[in-house]
Amino acid sequence: MPPMAAPPPPAALIAHLAAVLSSPDWRFHPSLPHLPALLAPSLPRTLLVPLPLRLAAAVARAAAPSRHLLGISLPVVLRLHALSPPQHRPLFDRPFRSLLAHFARFALTPLMLRLFAHMHRYAPPAPTGATYNALIRALCRRADLRRAQRYLSLMVRSGWRPDAFTFNSMIVGYCRTQQVEAARDLFDKMPLRGFRQDVVSYAALIEGLCETGRIDEALELFREMERPDMHTYVALVKGLCDSGRGEEGLCMLQKIKEQGWRPSTRAYTAVVDLWCRERKADEAEKMLAEMFDNGLAPSVVTCTAVVNAYCREGRMSHAVRVFESMKLKGCEPNVWTYNALVRGFCNERKVHKAMSLLDQMRAFGVEPDVVTYNLLIRGQCIDGHIESAFRLLRLMERDGIAADQYTWNALIDALCKDGKTDEACSIFDGLEDTGIRPNSVTFNTLIDGLCKTGKVDVAQTFLEKMVSASCAPDTYTYSPFIENLCKTKGWQDGLSFIDEMLQKDVKPSTVNYTIVIDKLFKERNYGLATRTWEKMLSLGCSPDVVTYTTSVHAYCNEGRLDEAENVMMEMNKSGVTIDAMAYNTLMDGYASIGQTDHAVTVLKNMTSVASVPNHFTFLILLRHLLERRLAEHIPLKASRVWKTIELADIFKLFELMKENGVPSSARAYLAILDGFSEDRRLDEVTSLVCRMKEDDLPLNEDIYSALVNFFCKLRMYPDAWALLCSMIGHGFVPSLLSYQHLLSGLAAEGQTDRAKEIFRDSRWKDYNPDEIVWKVIIDGLIRKGHSDMCHDMISILEQMKCKPSDQTYAMLTEELSTRE
């Protein structure tokens, strides 16, 4: 016996029924008697029920699980109602009620309105109190309060009395439209109308109070409840967390658990969002893990928030861990997730890792957007690879993504900082052809770059263009002019310029005044500097970290370290984040008067992300130790420090740090290794690496990269390659510049076969193929005269399925033709 054919899907059956009903002799169609059983096999087969009603009931039941089926089912049911004789129409009450319930479950308010209008016009069955209530509740949930009020009025005129359900719906509507006072008034009137305030009433009002930030009132109302439900607890968790009262929010979350309930996704999400806002990424990740452990499915938005929190803290390995975890647990990353990682890697100066995400995105079906490309272009610019930034622009255009203001502003800014103001001006002149209108950032960037390169007259013409383009100059526009005047003519002209700004009703900013104050401090005109500071405050301009640092520097130059410390304390009290430059300035002040212990104590205080010790921090300490040993009172230049310093001085610094509770760190070693590398001091570099191992400090990614580049500089290519292999073995991804130095160096030594062998053995799948070609082959081998190797290396990439884009091939062809 052949197997029975599977019945057609419900959508096809409903469509067939709609087609049959459109014909005049629909009642005689042979398929009609069989359709109820096909649409809803579990529907009771009652022969006494008229066929149109059985069809309507079957359609309503078949459509229940699907938003789409509900949408196509309503016209069919309404048609069946219209085609039925008047005496049978009241019987449609049950399928109509069924459809209303399903529409409400899926928040399909437009369909509810259409069904209600049909019932109202073609009654029976006429809308009942339950029908009105369902529609009013749906409208209130959509915050469509005005329409809900109209239907409430119609409900009363039709003879139906509002009940507790109606009151609760209107409370929800008032709260959703931020009319919490009206909601409270209605809540208070419920007992006067004979209705008891139930858990729904309380929960709706408490949620409304929380949404408007009135947490204490919400908590007071919560304490009145006899048996709060989980929805009420969740509303309070979210409200407390949104208000920054995280500890109370966590206590409320714990109470949910104590009641034996599993907290909802919404409750957990509120806590995760709070920890992310407060830069407590570890706590946020723990909460995210708890959600997964409890079988909840956090949204991609929640997971991305945790990834982004780690990226903001510069903890990229943790961000990648969360990213990989969310993929394993079925939460698919979106473009915002990838963009968070791209931004994080670019901020960490790891643009090669950010670039590799382009391929990963596409492999997962996520297309990069304008934000992705803008972040990468900015990252390349910050790394000084302006040409690669323009190459990215071409890839961006290939993907059909138009460059926006941010794109062009990043490129103009990079060119200006590189002193290439003519090229920046040329881009500006071409913006009109791209349909981009320059904004204040564009003009300010160009004006700043032109002033810094001494082209003040050209900057003045751009100021005039800015005004004619109806782009109002702001305080950032005028700062470069003030800085140039202070440098070339003196502080008097800088102050005069600020006075002119005031006359033009342009309020000077802290930045404007800081430029003049800095000049006055440098000229030891402390009295006028203080008066200018006071004038700045009188205009409502609060000093920033740069303003304070100029003051710290002035006090340190005078040897008045107590006053300098007071300034640092004032910065803390004012909520100004103290950066590395401010700490370095104070450290230099203590070291210059021989108080090296105090200087190291300052180093101990450098704990925030903004004040991470840098190359200059350790240079300051070493320079003063060296000056003391050499008994020299003239400050040594950085180049002389690294030529003269000895390992004994380094180890003495480490001992001083240890005595003052500052352990030697990988960051300290990196700063010192960089200094020795500049002076090609191999023995000292080797000794420091050995000392790191003795201190149980593993080589990190930055130290590996510094050592690889150092050995390439000394033409010690086997050692450089061994370090690269060790680096990869420890899970690090080397910079493409390391490969560029190594392969170009080997080619220059005539070791082309070895270079090709290394290229073949490298893990290029960890990189973006286009960037490999740009930085290793074009900028490295071809531009250093080794173009004969590039064809073999391109073939190797293709064999590894790391094929560059057509645009990169075009760049490569163009570059080769210019070298022939």
Side-chain angles (χ1 to χ4, degrees):
M1 182 176 177
M4 295 180 64
L13 292 171
I14 294 171
H16 170 71
L17 177 58
V20 170
L21 294 175
S22 65
S23 64
D25 55 350
W26 64 274
R27 292 179 182 276
F28 305 106
H29 198 282
S31 67
L32 281 186
H34 308 289
L35 282 177
L38 290 172
L39 281 164
S42 62
L43 193 72
R45 300 185 181 185
T46 309
L47 295 176
L48 297 176
V49 176
L51 181 60
L53 184 60
R54 278 193 289 136
L55 286 167
V59 168
R61 183 168 294 191
S66 163
R67 293 174 64 95
H68 170 68
L69 290 178
L70 286 168
I72 64 174
S73 70
L74 180 60
V76 174
V77 174
L78 297 184
R79 176 72 176 160
L80 287 165
H81 177 259
L83 292 172
S84 296
Q87 66 270 26
H88 291 162
R89 288 181 184 174
L91 302 175
F92 276 78
D93 177 60
R94 181 170 291 181
F96 280 177
R97 279 190 285 114
S98 173
L99 283 175
L100 275 171
H102 297 317
F103 293 158
R105 181 164 59 93
F106 284 102
L108 296 170
T109 310
L111 297 183
M112 294 183 76
L113 288 167
R114 185 175 172 186
L115 177 55
F116 181 91
H118 181 92
M119 293 172 70
H120 195 266
R121 185 175 179 183
Y122 298 106
T128 64
T131 313
Y132 278 105
N133 272 336
L135 183 56
I136 289 167
R137 170 61 63 90
L139 291 167
C140 286
R141 282 178 175 163
R142 288 184 62 183
D144 193 350
L145 185 62
R146 185 173 297 178
R147 193 179 292 183
Q149 288 169 330
R150 287 206 302 268
Y151 281 98
L152 175 60
S153 177
L154 183 61
M155 177 183 183
V156 173
R157 290 201 306 271
S158 300
W160 296 100
R161 182 172 177 262
D163 56 15
F165 190 95
T166 324
F167 272 87
N168 288 343
S169 298
M170 295 304 295
I171 290 170
V172 169
Y174 280 122
C175 289
R176 293 277 169 95
T177 54
Q178 308 290 301
Q179 300 179 61
V180 182
E181 288 300 332
R184 183 67 193 246
D185 184 58
L186 202 60
F187 177 86
D188 292 337
K189 285 179 180 175
M190 286 182 72
L192 303 177
R193 301 289 179 90
F195 303 118
R196 184 172 176 270
Q197 296 147 335
D198 59 12
V199 67
V200 178
S201 322
Y202 275 99
L205 184 55
I206 285 171
E207 185 170 14
L209 290 166
C210 288
E211 290 291 334
T212 52
R214 295 161 65 171
I215 305 300
D216 290 327
E217 292 177 59
L219 288 169
E220 186 179 343
L221 201 62
F222 172 75
R223 285 189 281 270
E224 293 178 11
M225 296 181 72
E226 292 179 7
R227 297 185 66 184
D229 65 353
M230 194 175 78
H231 182 85
T232 315
Y233 278 105
V234 170
L236 284 167
V237 171
K238 186 176 186 306
L240 288 163
C241 289
D242 288 349
S243 299
R245 294 162 66 169
E247 294 303 324
E248 293 174 78
L250 278 175
C251 288
M252 199 62 68
L253 184 69
Q254 185 58 36
K255 286 180 182 177
I256 294 176
K257 297 174 186 176
E258 290 169 3
Q259 296 287 338
W261 297 321
R262 185 181 71 173
S264 67
T265 303
R266 187 169 176 241
Y268 277 116
T269 299
V271 180
V272 171
D273 288 344
L274 171 72
W275 292 147
C276 290
R277 289 197 308 274
E278 294 192 351
R279 298 184 179 271
K280 295 179 178 178
D282 290 321
E283 286 83 349
E285 186 185 1
K286 287 175 189 172
M287 200 59 65
L288 192 66
E290 192 174 315
M291 290 177 76
F292 282 120
D293 291 343
N294 285 341
L296 298 173
S299 70
V300 65
V301 176
T302 304
C303 293
T304 298
V306 181
V307 171
N308 193 43
Y310 275 127
C311 290
R312 284 204 315 268
E313 292 179 15
R315 299 164 68 187
M316 293 308 300
S317 60
H318 293 71
V320 171
R321 182 182 67 212
V322 175
F323 173 76
E324 294 298 337
S325 173
M326 65 185 280
K327 287 194 295 182
L328 286 172
K329 291 172 180 174
C331 183
E332 294 295 331
N334 61 15
V335 69
W336 296 103
T337 321
Y338 281 102
N339 285 348
L341 288 171
V342 168
R343 180 183 286 106
F345 281 127
C346 287
N347 288 342
E348 290 289 296
R349 306 290 292 269
K350 302 283 191 301
V351 73
H352 60 286
K353 292 185 178 180
M355 286 289 296
S356 69
L357 289 168
L358 274 178
D359 301 307
Q360 289 185 37
M361 290 174 76
R362 293 193 177 98
F364 277 93
V366 179
E367 286 300 315
D369 61 8
V370 67
V371 176
T372 318
Y373 276 108
N374 283 343
L375 289 168
L376 290 168
I377 286 170
R378 177 179 167 271
Q380 295 284 5
C381 289
I382 290 172
D383 260 12
H385 304 306
I386 301 175
E387 195 166 355
S388 290
F390 279 97
R391 291 161 176 162
L392 265 170
L393 180 65
R394 289 171 66 175
L395 291 188
M396 183 178 180
E397 291 167 346
R398 175 207 69 178
D399 284 350
I401 299 172
D404 60 12
Q405 275 184 343
Y406 188 98
T407 319
W408 293 113
N409 285 345
L411 292 167
I412 288 170
D413 181 57
L415 289 168
C416 286
K417 283 178 177 168
D418 202 37
K420 298 175 180 177
T421 51
D422 290 340
E423 292 177 44
C425 291
S426 177
I427 288 178
F428 177 90
D429 293 337
L431 284 181
E432 190 175 344
D433 296 334
T434 64
I436 301 292
R437 185 182 176 189
N439 61 9
S440 59
V441 176
T442 322
F443 281 108
N444 289 348
T445 301
L446 271 171
I447 288 169
D448 184 59
L450 289 163
C451 285
K452 280 184 167 60
T453 52
K455 299 175 182 178
V456 183
D457 293 339
V458 183
Q460 188 67 42
T461 63
F462 273 97
L463 178 59
E464 292 164 7
K465 286 181 183 179
M466 187 176 184
V467 174
S468 64
S470 300
C471 192
D474 55 24
T475 55
Y476 292 100
T477 316
Y478 293 117
S479 288
F481 292 107
I482 297 170
E483 191 171 4
N484 183 266
L485 285 170
C486 286
K487 186 193 296 183
T488 58
K489 296 185 179 179
W491 57 262
Q492 296 91 339
D493 289 79
L495 274 179
S496 297
F497 196 97
I498 289 177
D499 291 336
E500 287 176 27
M501 289 171 64
L502 287 166
Q503 290 168 14
K504 293 176 183 177
D505 291 329
V506 179
K507 181 185 173 183
S509 69
T510 300
V511 176
N512 303 142
Y513 275 109
T514 298
I515 294 166
V516 179
I517 290 169
D518 182 49
K519 182 70 173 176
L520 288 166
F521 274 133
K522 284 175 179 173
E523 294 187 5
R524 298 177 181 270
N525 194 339
Y526 300 117
L528 185 55
T530 303
R531 290 195 295 275
T532 306
W533 189 300
E534 289 167 354
K535 186 176 181 180
M536 176 184 74
L537 291 173
S538 70
L539 289 170
C541 300
S542 300
D544 61 14
V545 65
V546 181
T547 324
Y548 279 116
T549 302
T550 61
S551 178
V552 172
H553 190 266
Y555 283 128
C556 288
N557 281 345
E558 292 285 307
R560 296 157 63 183
L561 275 303
D562 288 340
E563 286 94 332
E565 285 276 14
N566 289 337
V567 173
M568 299 285 277
M569 290 172 63
E570 190 180 332
M571 289 170 77
N572 259 326
K573 287 179 184 175
S574 303
V576 175
T577 302
I578 306 174
D579 62 12
M581 182 174 285
Y583 278 116
N584 286 349
T585 303
L586 183 63
M587 190 183 300
D588 195 22
Y590 276 119
S592 64
I593 60 172
Q595 295 188 21
T596 315
D597 285 341
H598 277 81
V600 175
T601 302
V602 174
L603 173 62
K604 186 178 180 180
N605 293 330
M606 297 177 73
T607 54
S608 73
V609 174
S611 59
V612 169
N614 55 28
H615 177 79
F616 297 104
T617 311
F618 297 101
L619 176 63
I620 287 165
L621 293 168
L622 289 170
R623 185 180 67 209
H624 287 290
L625 283 174
L626 185 58
E627 286 171 359
R628 190 158 63 180
R629 178 166 65 81
L630 299 176
E632 294 190 13
H633 302 291
I634 302 171
L636 299 172
K637 291 184 179 179
S639 58
R640 190 177 169 201
V641 170
W642 295 117
K643 286 181 184 295
T644 316
I645 203 81
E646 295 176 0
L647 279 173
D649 299 309
I650 305 295
F651 298 148
K652 184 174 182 180
L653 172 61
F654 287 164
E655 286 303 316
L656 270 171
M657 289 166 61
K658 187 176 179 181
E659 288 168 10
N660 287 277
V662 183
S664 52
S665 63
R667 191 175 297 278
Y669 275 102
L670 177 61
I672 296 164
L673 283 168
D674 280 341
F676 280 139
S677 298
E678 284 296 316
D679 204 45
R680 299 172 182 262
R681 296 178 64 176
L682 177 60
D683 291 341
E684 285 79 1
V685 166
T686 307
S687 297
L688 275 174
V689 172
C690 292
R691 175 65 181 255
M692 277 191 76
K693 292 175 181 175
E694 290 173 11
D695 287 348
D696 291 326
L697 286 172
L699 301 185
N700 63 21
E701 187 174 342
D702 293 326
I703 290 176
Y704 267 119
S705 295
L707 290 172
V708 169
N709 296 340
F710 173 64
F711 283 119
C712 286
K713 190 185 293 183
L714 295 182
R715 299 182 181 179
M716 298 170 63
Y717 301 115
D719 298 271
W721 174 238
L723 273 167
L724 267 178
C725 292
S726 175
M727 184 178 184
I728 294 165
H730 283 86
F732 300 119
V733 179
S735 162
L736 286 171
L737 288 181
S738 297
Y739 280 107
Q740 184 195 108
H741 298 322
L742 175 61
L743 297 173
S744 299
L746 285 168
E749 297 273 312
Q751 300 183 49
T752 54
D753 290 340
R754 181 60 178 147
K756 290 177 187 177
E757 183 185 343
I758 287 174
F759 193 91
R760 187 176 292 105
D761 292 342
S762 297
R763 290 174 47 179
W764 296 121
K765 288 190 177 180
D766 293 330
Y767 303 88
N768 176 271
D770 296 301
E771 200 182 23
I772 298 168
V773 176
W774 301 344
K775 290 185 177 173
V776 179
I777 297 177
I778 295 178
D779 292 345
L781 295 167
I782 296 178
R783 294 192 179 173
K784 291 174 184 175
H786 312 296
S787 54
D788 53 318
M789 298 172 61
C790 80
H791 292 293
D792 292 337
M793 291 184 172
I794 289 293
S795 297
I796 291 169
L797 283 178
E798 290 173 344
Q799 289 165 17
M800 293 180 173
K801 297 183 180 179
C802 295
K803 187 178 179 182
S805 66
D806 293 340
Q807 280 69 20
T808 296
Y809 276 114
M811 294 176 205
L812 186 61
T813 304
E814 183 183 343
E815 198 68 39
L816 284 168
S817 65
T818 60
R819 303 287 156 180
E820 289 176 354

